[in-house]
PDB file of all heavy atoms in Angstrom:
ATOM      1  N   ASP F   1     107.015  81.001 134.825  1.00  0.00           N
ATOM      2  CA  ASP F   1     106.577  81.225 133.489  1.00  0.00           C
ATOM      3  C   ASP F   1     107.340  80.468 132.473  1.00  0.00           C
ATOM      4  O   ASP F   1     108.361  79.810 132.825  1.00  0.00           O
ATOM      5  CB  ASP F   1     106.616  82.759 133.199  1.00  0.00           C
ATOM      6  CG  ASP F   1     108.056  83.316 133.087  1.00  0.00           C
ATOM      7  OD1 ASP F   1     108.955  82.588 132.603  1.00  0.00           O
ATOM      8  OD2 ASP F   1     108.304  84.500 133.585  1.00  0.00           O
ATOM      9  N   ALA F   2     106.958  80.505 131.219  1.00  0.00           N
ATOM     10  CA  ALA F   2     107.428  79.504 130.286  1.00  0.00           C
ATOM     11  C   ALA F   2     109.007  79.701 130.072  1.00  0.00           C
ATOM     12  O   ALA F   2     109.760  78.717 130.066  1.00  0.00           O
ATOM     13  CB  ALA F   2     106.733  79.703 128.923  1.00  0.00           C
ATOM     14  N   GLY F   3     109.445  80.951 129.982  1.00  0.00           N
ATOM     15  CA  GLY F   3     110.856  81.182 129.848  1.00  0.00           C
ATOM     16  C   GLY F   3     111.668  80.639 131.093  1.00  0.00           C
ATOM     17  O   GLY F   3     112.698  79.970 130.898  1.00  0.00           O
ATOM     18  N   GLU F   4     111.229  80.990 132.313  1.00  0.00           N
ATOM     19  CA  GLU F   4     111.814  80.497 133.465  1.00  0.00           C
ATOM     20  C   GLU F   4     111.894  79.030 133.660  1.00  0.00           C
ATOM     21  O   GLU F   4     112.715  78.383 134.061  1.00  0.00           O
ATOM     22  CB  GLU F   4     111.291  81.157 134.770  1.00  0.00           C
ATOM     23  CG  GLU F   4     111.697  82.638 134.877  1.00  0.00           C
ATOM     24  CD  GLU F   4     111.067  83.271 136.098  1.00  0.00           C
ATOM     25  OE1 GLU F   4     109.919  82.905 136.525  1.00  0.00           O
ATOM     26  OE2 GLU F   4     111.728  84.170 136.806  1.00  0.00           O
ATOM     27  N   SER F   5     110.675  78.456 133.163  1.00  0.00           N
ATOM     28  CA  SER F   5     110.611  76.956 133.262  1.00  0.00           C
ATOM     29  C   SER F   5     111.649  76.269 132.315  1.00  0.00           C
ATOM     30  O   SER F   5     112.228  75.312 132.773  1.00  0.00           O
ATOM     31  CB  SER F   5     109.082  76.573 132.816  1.00  0.00           C
ATOM     32  OG  SER F   5     108.995  75.183 132.984  1.00  0.00           O
ATOM     33  N   GLN F   6     111.872  76.823 131.240  1.00  0.00           N
ATOM     34  CA  GLN F   6     112.858  76.285 130.283  1.00  0.00           C
ATOM     35  C   GLN F   6     114.168  76.509 130.882  1.00  0.00           C
ATOM     36  O   GLN F   6     115.044  75.486 130.942  1.00  0.00           O
ATOM     37  CB  GLN F   6     112.750  76.957 128.893  1.00  0.00           C
ATOM     38  CG  GLN F   6     113.840  76.378 127.911  1.00  0.00           C
ATOM     39  CD  GLN F   6     113.625  74.920 127.711  1.00  0.00           C
ATOM     40  OE1 GLN F   6     112.529  74.435 127.718  1.00  0.00           O
ATOM     41  NE2 GLN F   6     114.737  74.181 127.582  1.00  0.00           N
ATOM     42  N   ARG F   7     114.509  77.613 131.471  1.00  0.00           N
ATOM     43  CA  ARG F   7     115.787  77.903 132.144  1.00  0.00           C
ATOM     44  C   ARG F   7     115.961  76.993 133.379  1.00  0.00           C
ATOM     45  O   ARG F   7     117.038  76.576 133.649  1.00  0.00           O
ATOM     46  CB  ARG F   7     115.995  79.326 132.546  1.00  0.00           C
ATOM     47  CG  ARG F   7     116.149  80.342 131.405  1.00  0.00           C
ATOM     48  CD  ARG F   7     116.377  81.757 131.668  1.00  0.00           C
ATOM     49  NE  ARG F   7     116.927  82.071 132.964  1.00  0.00           N
ATOM     50  CZ  ARG F   7     116.363  82.865 133.834  1.00  0.00           C
ATOM     51  NH1 ARG F   7     115.232  83.492 133.504  1.00  0.00           N
ATOM     52  NH2 ARG F   7     116.990  83.108 135.007  1.00  0.00           N
ATOM     53  N   PHE F   8     114.779  76.695 134.053  1.00  0.00           N
ATOM     54  CA  PHE F   8     114.958  75.773 135.182  1.00  0.00           C
ATOM     55  C   PHE F   8     115.389  74.443 134.785  1.00  0.00           C
ATOM     56  O   PHE F   8     116.284  73.806 135.423  1.00  0.00           O
ATOM     57  CB  PHE F   8     113.471  75.552 135.771  1.00  0.00           C
ATOM     58  CG  PHE F   8     113.238  74.489 136.768  1.00  0.00           C
ATOM     59  CD1 PHE F   8     113.618  74.664 138.146  1.00  0.00           C
ATOM     60  CD2 PHE F   8     112.811  73.301 136.340  1.00  0.00           C
ATOM     61  CE1 PHE F   8     113.413  73.689 139.126  1.00  0.00           C
ATOM     62  CE2 PHE F   8     112.560  72.220 137.276  1.00  0.00           C
ATOM     63  CZ  PHE F   8     112.958  72.392 138.565  1.00  0.00           C
ATOM     64  N   LEU F   9     114.851  73.780 133.645  1.00  0.00           N
ATOM     65  CA  LEU F   9     115.281  72.619 133.202  1.00  0.00           C
ATOM     66  C   LEU F   9     116.679  72.585 132.752  1.00  0.00           C
ATOM     67  O   LEU F   9     117.473  71.627 133.078  1.00  0.00           O
ATOM     68  CB  LEU F   9     114.325  72.048 132.070  1.00  0.00           C
ATOM     69  CG  LEU F   9     112.932  71.823 132.425  1.00  0.00           C
ATOM     70  CD1 LEU F   9     112.108  71.495 131.200  1.00  0.00           C
ATOM     71  CD2 LEU F   9     112.965  70.494 133.442  1.00  0.00           C
ATOM     72  N   GLU F  10     117.175  73.655 132.099  1.00  0.00           N
ATOM     73  CA  GLU F  10     118.562  73.779 131.578  1.00  0.00           C
ATOM     74  C   GLU F  10     119.446  73.815 132.864  1.00  0.00           C
ATOM     75  O   GLU F  10     120.574  73.191 132.840  1.00  0.00           O
ATOM     76  CB  GLU F  10     118.674  75.060 130.759  1.00  0.00           C
ATOM     77  CG  GLU F  10     118.047  74.922 129.369  1.00  0.00           C
ATOM     78  CD  GLU F  10     117.967  76.323 128.659  1.00  0.00           C
ATOM     79  OE1 GLU F  10     118.417  77.312 129.243  1.00  0.00           O
ATOM     80  OE2 GLU F  10     117.395  76.267 127.615  1.00  0.00           O
ATOM     81  N   SER F  11     119.153  74.618 133.927  1.00  0.00           N
ATOM     82  CA  SER F  11     119.871  74.699 135.051  1.00  0.00           C
ATOM     83  C   SER F  11     119.960  73.355 135.824  1.00  0.00           C
ATOM     84  O   SER F  11     121.016  72.890 136.298  1.00  0.00           O
ATOM     85  CB  SER F  11     119.377  75.729 136.029  1.00  0.00           C
ATOM     86  OG  SER F  11     119.576  77.022 135.487  1.00  0.00           O
ATOM     87  N   TYR F  12     118.870  72.722 135.851  1.00  0.00           N
ATOM     88  CA  TYR F  12     118.778  71.345 136.474  1.00  0.00           C
ATOM     89  C   TYR F  12     119.762  70.380 135.817  1.00  0.00           C
ATOM     90  O   TYR F  12     120.538  69.667 136.468  1.00  0.00           O
ATOM     91  CB  TYR F  12     117.313  70.774 136.476  1.00  0.00           C
ATOM     92  CG  TYR F  12     117.346  69.330 136.956  1.00  0.00           C
ATOM     93  CD1 TYR F  12     117.281  69.037 138.326  1.00  0.00           C
ATOM     94  CD2 TYR F  12     117.309  68.301 136.065  1.00  0.00           C
ATOM     95  CE1 TYR F  12     117.214  67.769 138.708  1.00  0.00           C
ATOM     96  CE2 TYR F  12     117.311  66.995 136.493  1.00  0.00           C
ATOM     97  CZ  TYR F  12     117.243  66.750 137.757  1.00  0.00           C
ATOM     98  OH  TYR F  12     117.307  65.381 138.254  1.00  0.00           O
ATOM     99  N   GLU F  13     119.759  70.417 134.495  1.00  0.00           N
ATOM    100  CA  GLU F  13     120.617  69.450 133.708  1.00  0.00           C
ATOM    101  C   GLU F  13     122.091  69.815 133.990  1.00  0.00           C
ATOM    102  O   GLU F  13     122.939  68.904 134.064  1.00  0.00           O
ATOM    103  CB  GLU F  13     120.300  69.532 132.291  1.00  0.00           C
ATOM    104  CG  GLU F  13     118.981  68.799 131.826  1.00  0.00           C
ATOM    105  CD  GLU F  13     118.937  67.348 132.094  1.00  0.00           C
ATOM    106  OE1 GLU F  13     120.065  66.687 132.074  1.00  0.00           O
ATOM    107  OE2 GLU F  13     117.937  66.831 132.471  1.00  0.00           O
ATOM    108  N   ARG F  14     122.374  71.079 133.945  1.00  0.00           N
ATOM    109  CA  ARG F  14     123.810  71.481 134.165  1.00  0.00           C
ATOM    110  C   ARG F  14     124.149  71.227 135.653  1.00  0.00           C
ATOM    111  O   ARG F  14     125.418  70.938 135.846  1.00  0.00           O
ATOM    112  CB  ARG F  14     123.936  73.003 133.850  1.00  0.00           C
ATOM    113  CG  ARG F  14     125.238  73.563 133.895  1.00  0.00           C
ATOM    114  CD  ARG F  14     125.310  75.040 133.354  1.00  0.00           C
ATOM    115  NE  ARG F  14     124.622  75.964 134.383  1.00  0.00           N
ATOM    116  CZ  ARG F  14     123.589  76.528 134.248  1.00  0.00           C
ATOM    117  NH1 ARG F  14     122.878  76.361 133.099  1.00  0.00           N
ATOM    118  NH2 ARG F  14     123.013  77.275 135.139  1.00  0.00           N
ATOM    119  N   LEU F  15     123.378  71.362 136.673  1.00  0.00           N
ATOM    120  CA  LEU F  15     123.869  71.204 138.010  1.00  0.00           C
ATOM    121  C   LEU F  15     123.726  69.944 138.674  1.00  0.00           C
ATOM    122  O   LEU F  15     124.295  69.565 139.599  1.00  0.00           O
ATOM    123  CB  LEU F  15     122.966  72.205 138.899  1.00  0.00           C
ATOM    124  CG  LEU F  15     123.199  73.664 138.637  1.00  0.00           C
ATOM    125  CD1 LEU F  15     122.181  74.547 139.407  1.00  0.00           C
ATOM    126  CD2 LEU F  15     124.636  74.088 139.068  1.00  0.00           C
ATOM    127  N   ARG F  16     122.872  69.036 138.100  1.00  0.00           N
ATOM    128  CA  ARG F  16     122.676  67.768 138.688  1.00  0.00           C
ATOM    129  C   ARG F  16     123.909  66.793 138.638  1.00  0.00           C
ATOM    130  O   ARG F  16     124.600  66.719 137.630  1.00  0.00           O
ATOM    131  CB  ARG F  16     121.448  66.991 138.071  1.00  0.00           C
ATOM    132  CG  ARG F  16     121.712  66.427 136.705  1.00  0.00           C
ATOM    133  CD  ARG F  16     120.376  65.785 136.282  1.00  0.00           C
ATOM    134  NE  ARG F  16     120.677  65.386 134.919  1.00  0.00           N
ATOM    135  CZ  ARG F  16     120.956  64.209 134.429  1.00  0.00           C
ATOM    136  NH1 ARG F  16     121.026  63.198 135.339  1.00  0.00           N
ATOM    137  NH2 ARG F  16     121.011  63.884 133.185  1.00  0.00           N
ATOM    138  N   PRO F  17     124.303  66.284 139.790  1.00  0.00           N
ATOM    139  CA  PRO F  17     125.394  65.316 139.766  1.00  0.00           C
ATOM    140  C   PRO F  17     125.003  63.937 139.314  1.00  0.00           C
ATOM    141  O   PRO F  17     123.876  63.780 138.820  1.00  0.00           O
ATOM    142  CB  PRO F  17     125.724  65.326 141.227  1.00  0.00           C
ATOM    143  CG  PRO F  17     124.392  65.581 141.990  1.00  0.00           C
ATOM    144  CD  PRO F  17     123.750  66.443 141.074  1.00  0.00           C
ATOM    145  N   THR F  18     125.779  62.962 139.396  1.00  0.00           N
ATOM    146  CA  THR F  18     125.600  61.621 138.965  1.00  0.00           C
ATOM    147  C   THR F  18     124.271  61.089 139.410  1.00  0.00           C
ATOM    148  O   THR F  18     123.480  60.405 138.712  1.00  0.00           O
ATOM    149  CB  THR F  18     126.714  60.738 139.348  1.00  0.00           C
ATOM    150  OG1 THR F  18     127.975  61.258 138.808  1.00  0.00           O
ATOM    151  CG2 THR F  18     126.592  59.345 138.734  1.00  0.00           C
ATOM    152  N   LEU F  19     123.941  61.222 140.656  1.00  0.00           N
ATOM    153  CA  LEU F  19     122.645  60.720 141.305  1.00  0.00           C
ATOM    154  C   LEU F  19     121.439  61.482 140.867  1.00  0.00           C
ATOM    155  O   LEU F  19     120.428  61.080 141.105  1.00  0.00           O
ATOM    156  CB  LEU F  19     122.819  60.639 142.778  1.00  0.00           C
ATOM    157  CG  LEU F  19     123.948  59.650 143.339  1.00  0.00           C
ATOM    158  CD1 LEU F  19     124.036  59.855 144.886  1.00  0.00           C
ATOM    159  CD2 LEU F  19     123.646  58.254 142.951  1.00  0.00           C
ATOM    160  N   GLY F  20     121.677  62.706 140.410  1.00  0.00           N
ATOM    161  CA  GLY F  20     120.583  63.476 139.789  1.00  0.00           C
ATOM    162  C   GLY F  20     119.817  64.360 140.839  1.00  0.00           C
ATOM    163  O   GLY F  20     118.928  65.062 140.424  1.00  0.00           O
ATOM    164  N   TYR F  21     120.275  64.395 142.149  1.00  0.00           N
ATOM    165  CA  TYR F  21     119.552  65.232 143.092  1.00  0.00           C
ATOM    166  C   TYR F  21     120.049  66.568 143.086  1.00  0.00           C
ATOM    167  O   TYR F  21     121.442  66.787 143.176  1.00  0.00           O
ATOM    168  CB  TYR F  21     119.524  64.599 144.373  1.00  0.00           C
ATOM    169  CG  TYR F  21     118.653  63.349 144.626  1.00  0.00           C
ATOM    170  CD1 TYR F  21     119.163  62.064 144.426  1.00  0.00           C
ATOM    171  CD2 TYR F  21     117.243  63.564 144.936  1.00  0.00           C
ATOM    172  CE1 TYR F  21     118.297  61.022 144.567  1.00  0.00           C
ATOM    173  CE2 TYR F  21     116.479  62.457 144.950  1.00  0.00           C
ATOM    174  CZ  TYR F  21     117.011  61.158 144.825  1.00  0.00           C
ATOM    175  OH  TYR F  21     116.192  60.072 144.924  1.00  0.00           O
ATOM    176  N   VAL F  22     119.263  67.614 143.122  1.00  0.00           N
ATOM    177  CA  VAL F  22     119.800  68.990 143.139  1.00  0.00           C
ATOM    178  C   VAL F  22     118.985  69.680 144.247  1.00  0.00           C
ATOM    179  O   VAL F  22     117.883  69.458 144.580  1.00  0.00           O
ATOM    180  CB  VAL F  22     119.439  69.676 141.694  1.00  0.00           C
ATOM    181  CG1 VAL F  22     119.804  71.169 141.713  1.00  0.00           C
ATOM    182  CG2 VAL F  22     120.037  68.909 140.565  1.00  0.00           C
ATOM    183  N   SER F  23     119.602  70.747 144.877  1.00  0.00           N
ATOM    184  CA  SER F  23     118.975  71.504 145.939  1.00  0.00           C
ATOM    185  C   SER F  23     118.167  72.631 145.336  1.00  0.00           C
ATOM    186  O   SER F  23     118.522  73.221 144.139  1.00  0.00           O
ATOM    187  CB  SER F  23     120.037  72.053 146.957  1.00  0.00           C
ATOM    188  OG  SER F  23     120.693  73.174 146.365  1.00  0.00           O
ATOM    189  N   TYR F  24     117.165  72.960 145.967  1.00  0.00           N
ATOM    190  CA  TYR F  24     116.305  74.180 145.617  1.00  0.00           C
ATOM    191  C   TYR F  24     117.222  75.394 145.520  1.00  0.00           C
ATOM    192  O   TYR F  24     117.094  76.290 144.675  1.00  0.00           O
ATOM    193  CB  TYR F  24     115.108  74.438 146.593  1.00  0.00           C
ATOM    194  CG  TYR F  24     114.158  73.264 146.811  1.00  0.00           C
ATOM    195  CD1 TYR F  24     114.221  72.428 147.829  1.00  0.00           C
ATOM    196  CD2 TYR F  24     113.329  73.016 145.749  1.00  0.00           C
ATOM    197  CE1 TYR F  24     113.298  71.376 147.963  1.00  0.00           C
ATOM    198  CE2 TYR F  24     112.467  71.910 145.830  1.00  0.00           C
ATOM    199  CZ  TYR F  24     112.397  71.091 146.862  1.00  0.00           C
ATOM    200  OH  TYR F  24     111.545  70.079 147.056  1.00  0.00           O
ATOM    201  N   THR F  25     118.065  75.582 146.507  1.00  0.00           N
ATOM    202  CA  THR F  25     118.959  76.761 146.639  1.00  0.00           C
ATOM    203  C   THR F  25     119.927  76.849 145.440  1.00  0.00           C
ATOM    204  O   THR F  25     120.010  78.012 144.786  1.00  0.00           O
ATOM    205  CB  THR F  25     119.773  76.698 147.935  1.00  0.00           C
ATOM    206  OG1 THR F  25     118.920  76.413 149.015  1.00  0.00           O
ATOM    207  CG2 THR F  25     120.568  77.920 148.224  1.00  0.00           C
ATOM    208  N   ASP F  26     120.506  75.822 145.017  1.00  0.00           N
ATOM    209  CA  ASP F  26     121.397  75.786 143.779  1.00  0.00           C
ATOM    210  C   ASP F  26     120.639  76.339 142.658  1.00  0.00           C
ATOM    211  O   ASP F  26     121.138  77.202 141.826  1.00  0.00           O
ATOM    212  CB  ASP F  26     122.088  74.466 143.580  1.00  0.00           C
ATOM    213  CG  ASP F  26     123.102  74.149 144.652  1.00  0.00           C
ATOM    214  OD1 ASP F  26     123.405  75.103 145.425  1.00  0.00           O
ATOM    215  OD2 ASP F  26     123.499  72.981 144.677  1.00  0.00           O
ATOM    216  N   ILE F  27     119.445  75.693 142.318  1.00  0.00           N
ATOM    217  CA  ILE F  27     118.680  76.199 141.154  1.00  0.00           C
ATOM    218  C   ILE F  27     118.284  77.581 141.291  1.00  0.00           C
ATOM    219  O   ILE F  27     118.288  78.265 140.351  1.00  0.00           O
ATOM    220  CB  ILE F  27     117.454  75.277 140.935  1.00  0.00           C
ATOM    221  CG1 ILE F  27     117.902  73.774 140.728  1.00  0.00           C
ATOM    222  CG2 ILE F  27     116.565  75.744 139.858  1.00  0.00           C
ATOM    223  CD1 ILE F  27     118.334  73.545 139.367  1.00  0.00           C
ATOM    224  N   SER F  28     117.814  78.001 142.420  1.00  0.00           N
ATOM    225  CA  SER F  28     117.314  79.407 142.663  1.00  0.00           C
ATOM    226  C   SER F  28     118.506  80.354 142.422  1.00  0.00           C
ATOM    227  O   SER F  28     118.156  81.467 141.764  1.00  0.00           O
ATOM    228  CB  SER F  28     116.773  79.596 144.041  1.00  0.00           C
ATOM    229  OG  SER F  28     117.704  79.631 145.000  1.00  0.00           O
TER     230      SER F  28
END
């Protein structure tokens, strides 16, 4: 949903390392 989608992007930005790859588990 829209709220979770925004939180998804915020979490992605916070968790991604230099190369930018993030695991599904970390975001979940």
